[in-house]
Amino acid sequence: MAEIVWVNPVQGGAFDAEVAALIESVRAPHHAPRIEHLQQGPPHLEYHTYEHEALGPMLELFVQAEADGCGAGVIGCFYDGGLREARELVRMPIVGMGEASMLLAATLGHRFSIIVGRRKWIPKMTDNAILLGLDRRLTSFRSVEMGIPEISADHDAFLDRVIEEARLAVRDGAEVVVLAEHTSPEFRARAREELPVPFVDPGVACWKW
């Protein structure tokens, strides 16, 4: 059995249980998750300064995981902060959540839209799409205008807003909808039922990639 390390690049284990549930719902039996979080660092990554603060501790976790025999690593954030640095530092494959989601979306339809929490997230994610050469495949960004603390406080409201914005993204011309936050198996089933186009959950995309 090969172990894959998933690093939540934030302090504390607030997201560990939901990541474990997500992985368990889709993993193959020969791939086991090792879920890590930062012992010291930012509470979320909505600010560029927080990304820099998280980089060093995150890289240390990947180095240790490789030394312990892990076969691959996942950065559990759609920003993909530290992706290039991690790939320089270790030999095992490192997968970025945003990169995997956009590459997958590009194989499922001609153009895709990304649903984000806040408009503030859009410039960095646009830059990433350009670096991947996928900006011409990107129909639009749609924001639910909820930051990480608000999403955590009222997850049901967040998911309702995601469906609303996803429908508008389809009107924009999107043939695939990508969410910038991972969700539950129940919500993935709801999205498949209520949306007329494929829906990409970034947690599933990066784990499967």
Side-chain angles (χ1 to χ4, degrees):
M1 179 179 291
E3 195 172 40
I4 298 173
V5 61
W6 174 304
V7 176
N8 289 317
V10 293
Q11 182 178 4
F15 304 106
D16 291 1
E18 62 188 63
V19 167
L22 180 152
I23 293 171
E24 189 60 32
S25 70
V26 298
R27 76 177 180 90
H30 54 281
H31 289 139
R34 169 174 169 170
I35 301 168
E36 301 277 7
H37 60 263
L38 307 188
Q39 297 303 312
Q40 292 186 330
H44 55 73
L45 297 181
E46 290 198 52
Y47 302 101
H48 297 300
T49 50
Y50 281 4
E51 277 193 86
H52 287 284
E53 186 179 343
L55 179 59
M58 181 183 71
L59 295 178
E60 290 176 6
L61 288 173
F62 281 129
V63 170
Q64 185 60 55
E66 183 175 60
D68 292 342
C70 286
V74 170
I75 297 175
C77 176
F78 203 90
Y79 274 147
D80 289 352
L83 180 59
R84 291 183 173 188
E85 291 85 349
R87 286 172 172 169
E88 284 183 341
L89 198 58
V90 297
R91 292 178 59 85
M92 66 179 180
I94 301 294
V95 174
M97 182 181 283
E99 180 182 65
S101 300
M102 286 187 274
L103 289 173
L104 177 59
T107 71
L108 297 176
H110 179 60
R111 305 190 74 195
F112 61 89
S113 288
I114 300 175
I115 313 299
V116 301
R118 295 175 59 198
R119 280 172 288 180
K120 186 186 185 304
W121 303 6
I122 294 174
K124 175 67 179 288
M125 294 179 186
T126 301
D127 289 346
N128 288 346
I130 292 170
L131 288 171
L132 290 170
L134 293 175
D135 48 304
R136 295 182 66 181
R137 306 286 295 275
L138 180 59
T139 299
S140 63
F141 283 95
R142 285 279 177 180
S143 173
V144 302
E145 286 308 298
M146 296 175 72
I148 297 299
E150 291 79 20
I151 292 170
S152 299
D154 195 346
H155 204 62
D156 289 341
F158 166 68
L159 296 177
D160 288 341
R161 292 291 310 279
V162 168
I163 293 293
E164 292 173 10
E165 294 300 327
R167 290 191 179 115
L168 293 173
V170 174
R171 291 187 190 177
D172 294 337
E175 296 179 3
V176 184
V177 171
V178 179
L179 182 58
E181 286 289 324
H182 56 77
T183 62
S184 66
E186 293 77 18
F187 180 76
R188 295 197 298 274
R190 176 186 172 188
R192 286 194 298 269
E193 181 178 339
E194 297 187 25
L195 298 178
V197 298
F199 172 79
V200 174
D201 180 296
V204 176
C206 65
W207 177 262
K208 287 294 190 179
W209 205 271

